[in-house]
């Protein structure tokens, strides 16, 4: 095999890798159940991808303290529409749960007394916008629109401001 | 073809740089023509046709070697700058460009630099350095494209499968193009992949660089094992037709990782005892097993430059094992009960713990001096430089660790400054002597 052929195979690998990355997330976005979730954000910066907002979710907050052996292990949170497309936690399980009508589940990881959802824990924004979102959080709650698949994976569709009061007034734990 | 005759010194330099294995038995005590030597190595399967032509071109340029090298350095710097610019472009996340447009821009850049680089480096051949720089940019844009996808879909910060793909791309092109620059890049990308994968497996969500500093997730205790594994792969690659181009790069990276971990572990008792507790998660155990296999294969089947090399590698393996045993000894002696306790006063309270730590520092100094000695014997400037920088850092760290407890602060600084100046002068002289000794 000539070097040119090998080189073309290398380029093909790059193309397949690049486009192959899109597919599973695009599939979730196209076929998953659309849900809206309440969040609690802060705004750091990624070296490779610029400004982003770390998103913690009410659905993952306020769980009983987990033993150290469960730290970082998978957990599945079951959500149900609480009205207006806003989904709230109804229960959680250590294995993939059987879902009832109208329920969806999110796969996360135990973090002491809360659950992080790696699929939807970060939202990348235009440079500088992270700070604005943090300020907006003082007057509103950020809401996340996401698509959730049957296998409990999720993909963020968008971020928007909810017409709600600041977190401090509601006693919701922040991260 | 030029019928140039090489001096003994030049021949030995080329020989030892390219083929430290010593498997080819050309005698040093006679003059050989370049053509004969190259043809012989080609017939032995030690040189590819491309490499022979590259060497012939290099000799033909003769006195122009230095400018040619400078062009290579400039091209590489240019390539890195363009690559960094593209990564920053992705990071800025411009909202004026739609995600699709950004993907198209990067795709054109990736394919454009790839084809142009290949054309200049291999098809035309008269812009070889620039061509290689463009091929390096191609892999950097490939990485930027992966992170663009991650940005568009808000993928996790510890995006290990993206780092794996980037590492795969760099490694594939390193071997297709026999490019040391691509191979050089693939090592940190592998560490990035491993660090993120381990975080995903151990704790799940965390920031991008927690795998460097956070004790529970840190990759630090694995660095000596990874370094030894990479070093072993380098030894196994010696004399192999398609892999020999990367021997020096992998050897230097492997040794650097071992030295780096040991230097950091001498920073403080708490660093040594906290970070060098052997991690027992699945990925760490797999890394350990892979390193042991590579070690064993290198000792069994590796090609060594000197007869002592095999024992040297074995000694390195035992030394790394001893570091972990030493770091665990306080626990085994009952000086700590749980893996996550705070050291502080407990460490200060036990003379045994301090004694183990001092032993570790002494052995670290012996290790660094051995690296300098090894580099001198094998005529490897990079190894000499790494050993010298490590020993200088060790002295520097230890001085400031102990001086403030024993001396007034002003005297500690003045004496420290004098020691550092004297040390730098001594190192500069010694390094010059060693490099001169190697050249003659």
């Amino acid at each position: 095999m000539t070097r040119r052929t090998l080189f073309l195979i290398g380029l093909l690998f790059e193309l397949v890798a690049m486009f192959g990355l899109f597919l599973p997330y695009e599939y979730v976005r196209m076929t998953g159940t659309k849900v809206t979730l309440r969040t609690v954000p802060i705004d750091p910066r990624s070296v490779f991808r610029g400004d982003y907002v770390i998103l913690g979710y009410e659905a993952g907050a306020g769980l009983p303290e987990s033993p150290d052996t469960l730290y970082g292990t998978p957990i599945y949170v079951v959500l149900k529409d609480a009205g207006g497309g806003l989904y709230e936690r109804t229960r959680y399980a250590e294995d993939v749960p059987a879902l009832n009508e109208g329920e969806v589940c999110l796969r996360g990881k135990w973090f002491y007394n809360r659950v992080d959802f790696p699929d939807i824990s970060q939202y990348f924004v235009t440079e500088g916008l992270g700070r604005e979102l943090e300020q907006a959080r003082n007057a509103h709650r950020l809401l996340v629109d996401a698509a959730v698949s049957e296998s409990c994976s999720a993909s963020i569709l968008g971020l928007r401001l909810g017409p709600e009061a600041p977190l401090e007034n509601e006693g919701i734990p922040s991260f | 073809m030029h019928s140039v005759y090489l001096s003994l010194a030049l021949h030995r330099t080329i020989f030892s740089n390219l083929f430290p294995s010593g498997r080819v038995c050309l005698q040093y005590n006679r003059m050989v023509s370049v053509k004969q030597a190259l043809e012989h190595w080609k017939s032995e399967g030690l040189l590819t046709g491309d490499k022979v032509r590259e060497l012939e071109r290099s000799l033909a340029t003769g006195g122009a070697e230095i400018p040619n090298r400078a062009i290579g350095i400039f091209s590489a710097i240019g390539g890195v700058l363009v690559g960094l610019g593209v990564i920053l472009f992705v990071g800025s996340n411009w909202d004026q460009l739609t995600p699709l447009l950004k993907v198209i821009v990067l795709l054109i850049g990736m394919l454009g630099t790839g084809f142009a680089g290949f054309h200049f480096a291999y098809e035309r051949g008269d812009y070889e350095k620039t061509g290689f720089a463009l091929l390096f940019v191609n892999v950097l844009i490939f990485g930027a494209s992966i992170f663009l996808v991650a940005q568009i879909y808000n993928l996790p910060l510890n995006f290990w499968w993206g780092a794996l793909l980037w590492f795969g791309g760099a490694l594939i092109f390193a071997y297709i193009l026999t490019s040391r620059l691509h191979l050089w890049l693939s090592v940190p990308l592998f560490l990035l992949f491993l660090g993120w994968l381990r975080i995903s497996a151990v704790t799940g969500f965390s920031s991008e660089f927690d795998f460097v500093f956070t004790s529970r997730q840190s990759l630090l205790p694995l660095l000596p094992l990874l370094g030894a594994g990479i070093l072993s792969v380098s030894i196994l690659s010696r004399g192999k037709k398609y892999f020999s181009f990367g021997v020096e790069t992998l050897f230097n990276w492997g040794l650097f990782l071992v030295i780096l971990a040991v230097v950091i572990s001498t920073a403080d008792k708490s660093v040594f005892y906290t970070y060098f507790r052997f991690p027992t998660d699945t990925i760490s155990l797999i890394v350990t097993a892979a390193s042991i296999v590579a070690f064993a294969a290198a000792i069994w089947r590796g090609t060594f430059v000197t007869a002592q090399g095999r024992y040297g590698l074995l000694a390195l393996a035992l030394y790394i094992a001893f570091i972990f045993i030493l770091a665990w000894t306080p626990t085994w002696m009952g000086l700590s009960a749980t893996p996550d306790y705070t050291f502080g006063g407990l460490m200060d309270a036990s003379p045994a713990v301090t004694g183990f730590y001092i032993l570790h520092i002494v052995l670290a100094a012996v290790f660094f001096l051995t690296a300098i000695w090894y580099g001198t014997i094998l005529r490897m400037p990079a190894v000499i430089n790494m050993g010298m920088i490590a020993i200088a850092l060790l002295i520097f760290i230890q001085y400031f660790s102990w001086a403030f407890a024993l001396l007034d602060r002003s005297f500690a600084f003045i004496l420290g400054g004098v020691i550092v100046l004297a040390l730098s002068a001594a190192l500069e002289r010694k390094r010059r002597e060693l490099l001169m000794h190697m050249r003659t």
Side-chain angles (χ1 to χ4, degrees):
Chain A
M1 204 177 284
T2 64
R3 193 192 294 277
R4 187 178 174 79
T5 311
L6 287 170
F7 171 72
L8 291 175
I9 291 171
L11 277 188
L12 188 66
F13 168 81
E14 287 187 336
L15 291 174
V16 170
M18 196 175 152
F19 286 104
L21 274 175
F22 281 94
L23 296 177
Y25 305 101
E26 204 51 53
Y27 179 77
V28 170
R29 286 185 174 196
M30 288 168 67
T31 62
T33 308
K34 308 293 184 286
V35 303
T36 302
L37 300 162
R38 290 196 186 97
T39 67
V40 189
I42 54 173
D43 69 332
R45 184 175 165 80
S46 158
V47 173
F48 297 105
R49 284 178 267 171
D51 284 6
Y52 65 96
V53 182
I54 288 184
L55 300 166
Y57 291 88
E58 263 189 60
L63 293 171
E65 188 81 28
S66 69
D68 201 45
T69 50
L70 285 179
Y71 184 87
T73 58
I75 179 172
Y76 296 85
V77 174
V78 178
L79 310 165
K80 194 169 185 180
D81 191 349
L86 206 59
Y87 277 67
E88 291 180 353
R89 184 178 75 223
T90 56
R91 59 198 162 94
Y92 58 92
E94 288 175 18
D95 298 311
V96 182
L99 298 176
N100 301 320
E101 182 69 28
E103 286 183 335
V104 294
C105 71
L106 278 176
R107 186 177 55 227
K109 291 203 170 192
W110 271 109
F111 244 99
Y112 301 115
N113 65 340
R114 64 186 167 91
V115 176
D116 276 328
F117 303 105
D119 286 346
I120 52 171
S121 282
Q122 54 283 314
Y123 184 74
F124 291 85
V125 295
T126 304
E127 203 163 13
L129 190 63
R131 186 71 61 190
E132 288 177 29
L133 282 171
E134 187 187 34
Q135 287 165 356
R137 181 193 61 183
N138 295 332
H140 298 270
R141 180 85 56 79
L142 285 174
L143 299 176
V144 162
D145 294 321
V148 183
S149 75
E150 287 179 358
S151 59
C152 308
S153 62
S155 181
I156 293 178
L157 297 170
L159 200 65
R160 58 190 165 96
L161 294 175
E164 298 182 26
L167 302 179
E168 292 83 337
N169 299 345
E170 299 184 11
I172 294 167
S174 61
F175 297 127
Chain B
M1 176 59 211
H2 304 269
S3 180
V4 182
Y5 280 79
L6 291 174
S7 69
L8 175 64
L10 179 58
H11 179 202
R12 290 188 65 171
T13 306
I14 292 174
F15 186 90
S16 58
N17 281 345
L18 288 173
F19 307 108
S21 67
R23 281 176 59 189
V24 180
C25 296
L26 285 176
Q27 293 176 359
Y28 287 137
N29 61 357
R30 65 186 173 90
M31 307 292 272
V32 290
S33 77
V34 175
K35 191 175 174 64
Q36 284 172 335
L38 294 177
E39 286 303 321
H40 177 77
W41 288 329
K42 193 179 169 186
S43 65
E44 287 280 305
L46 293 168
L47 279 182
T48 60
D50 286 343
K51 185 56 81 176
V52 168
R53 280 189 291 280
E54 187 184 329
L55 286 168
E56 285 171 353
R57 269 202 305 277
S58 169
L59 286 167
T61 53
E65 185 58 26
I66 293 171
N68 201 28
R69 193 173 173 189
I71 292 165
I73 292 169
F74 275 126
S75 303
I77 291 172
V80 169
L81 288 176
V82 173
L84 282 176
V86 175
I87 291 169
L88 287 174
F89 165 73
V90 171
S92 67
N93 202 353
W94 269 0
D95 52 7
Q96 284 91 343
L97 287 179
T98 62
L100 181 65
L101 210 52
K102 285 182 203 168
V103 170
I104 291 170
V105 167
L106 289 196
L107 198 63
I108 291 170
M110 193 172 82
L111 294 176
T113 51
F115 282 117
F118 190 82
H119 178 68
F120 285 131
Y122 292 100
E123 291 174 344
R124 278 182 60 154
D126 52 351
Y127 287 95
E128 194 180 22
K129 306 285 182 194
T130 312
F132 273 116
L134 286 172
L135 288 167
F136 188 61
V137 173
N138 163 268
V139 167
L140 294 179
I141 296 180
F142 173 54
S145 308
I146 288 171
F147 283 99
L148 176 63
V149 176
Q151 187 189 68
I152 292 169
Y153 290 96
N154 301 293
L155 301 187
L157 288 166
N158 301 298
F159 178 41
W160 61 263
W161 59 102
L164 175 65
L165 286 172
W166 195 5
F167 158 70
L171 193 66
I172 287 170
F173 277 106
Y175 283 98
I176 289 175
L177 306 170
T178 57
S179 163
R180 290 183 187 181
L181 199 55
H182 285 76
L183 191 63
W184 186 94
L185 177 70
S186 69
V187 175
L189 291 180
F190 179 69
L191 295 180
L192 189 66
F193 150 66
L194 201 63
W196 284 354
L197 176 67
R198 206 162 148 260
I199 279 186
S200 301
V202 175
T203 57
F205 181 81
S206 64
S207 71
E208 279 173 325
F209 290 103
D210 275 0
F211 74 91
V212 180
F213 302 112
T214 309
S215 66
R216 189 168 184 156
Q217 304 154 339
S218 174
L219 209 56
L220 198 57
L222 290 180
L223 286 190
L225 293 164
L226 285 166
I230 292 170
L231 204 145
S232 301
V233 170
S234 145
I235 291 168
L236 285 166
S237 304
R238 275 185 189 147
K240 306 286 187 295
K241 192 176 175 184
Y242 296 107
F243 301 99
S244 57
F245 78 95
V247 168
E248 197 179 326
T249 307
L250 291 179
F251 190 94
N252 290 342
W253 256 118
L255 192 64
F256 172 75
L257 293 179
V258 179
I259 287 178
L260 178 70
V262 175
V263 167
I264 293 173
S265 72
T266 62
D268 189 64
K269 260 187 296 200
S270 60
V271 173
F272 176 56
Y273 288 112
T274 306
Y275 283 89
F276 280 79
R277 288 168 175 276
F278 189 77
T280 52
D281 59 282
T282 313
I283 292 165
S284 300
L285 293 176
I286 291 170
V287 168
T288 307
S291 293
I292 290 171
V293 168
F295 241 133
I299 286 170
W300 181 39
R301 302 282 301 210
T303 308
F304 293 89
V305 182
T306 64
Q308 293 82 14
R310 201 176 301 276
Y311 301 108
L313 185 64
L314 194 60
L316 181 65
L318 293 174
Y319 171 58
I320 291 170
F322 186 74
I323 293 175
F324 285 110
I325 292 169
L326 207 58
W328 268 105
T329 303
T331 308
W332 287 332
M333 289 175 68
L335 293 173
S336 65
T338 61
D340 289 323
Y341 72 102
T342 308
F343 290 91
L346 181 62
M347 284 299 166
D348 291 336
S350 168
V353 170
T354 306
F356 293 142
Y357 178 59
I358 291 171
L359 176 63
H360 171 59
I361 291 166
V362 171
L363 288 176
V366 171
F367 170 52
F368 300 150
L369 290 171
T370 309
I372 296 171
W373 173 70
Y374 183 84
T376 311
I377 288 178
L378 296 184
R379 300 161 186 273
M380 298 172 84
V383 174
I384 295 175
N385 291 338
M386 278 191 277
M388 286 207 155
I389 290 169
I391 200 87
L393 284 172
L394 181 77
I395 293 169
F396 192 73
I397 291 167
Q398 292 316 307
Y399 172 76
F400 280 102
S401 298
W402 302 100
F404 288 103
L406 303 173
L407 294 170
D408 178 76
R409 190 165 48 179
S410 58
F411 281 118
F413 271 113
I414 292 168
L415 189 60
V418 171
I419 289 173
V420 169
L421 285 172
L423 189 69
S424 64
L427 286 174
E428 190 178 4
R429 194 185 65 184
K430 194 69 194 163
R431 182 177 173 276
R432 192 169 53 239
E433 285 173 5
L434 289 171
L435 293 178
M436 197 173 288
H437 172 70
M438 278 172 47
R439 289 192 190 108
T440 51

